[in-house]
Amino acid sequence: MADPTVVELANQMAEECLAVQRETGQERLFMEVAAVLGASSQTMEEAFVTAIRTRLAAGQGRDFMAKALAAHRAKES
């Protein structure tokens, strides 16, 4: 398991990176950031990529649930 400081930094960077991605439309910017991080620290790269992937997965899960709920409500009306 990574050092708590590494995880905290990776989480902060993931939030910042996703905000930049949303603003710029560069959907794979996180891969470029990960490569920059990996050049200095494989541990930081792995923590960052994990933080990005969990946030992206959570977003996909939320989208799925919203669509399922909307479909359910449409059937009830």
Side-chain angles (χ1 to χ4, degrees):
M1 184 66 181
D3 180 291
T5 302
V6 173
V7 173
E8 182 180 341
L9 289 170
N11 284 329
Q12 290 171 352
M13 289 194 68
E15 293 292 336
E16 293 169 17
C17 183
L18 291 173
V20 172
Q21 283 186 195
R22 283 190 294 274
E23 186 170 331
T24 64
Q26 293 179 271
E27 293 182 13
R28 305 299 282 179
L29 177 66
F30 76 93
M31 296 300 291
E32 295 175 45
V33 174
V36 170
L37 293 172
S40 300
S41 170
Q42 185 178 7
T43 301
M44 184 65 179
E45 176 189 18
E46 291 172 0
F48 172 75
V49 171
T50 297
I52 289 285
R53 288 183 175 156
T54 56
R55 282 159 177 75
L56 292 175
Q60 291 172 347
R62 284 187 193 99
D63 290 346
F64 177 81
M65 288 187 293
K67 288 175 185 173
L69 183 57
H72 170 74
R73 289 178 176 166
K75 287 180 186 178
E76 287 186 337
S77 343

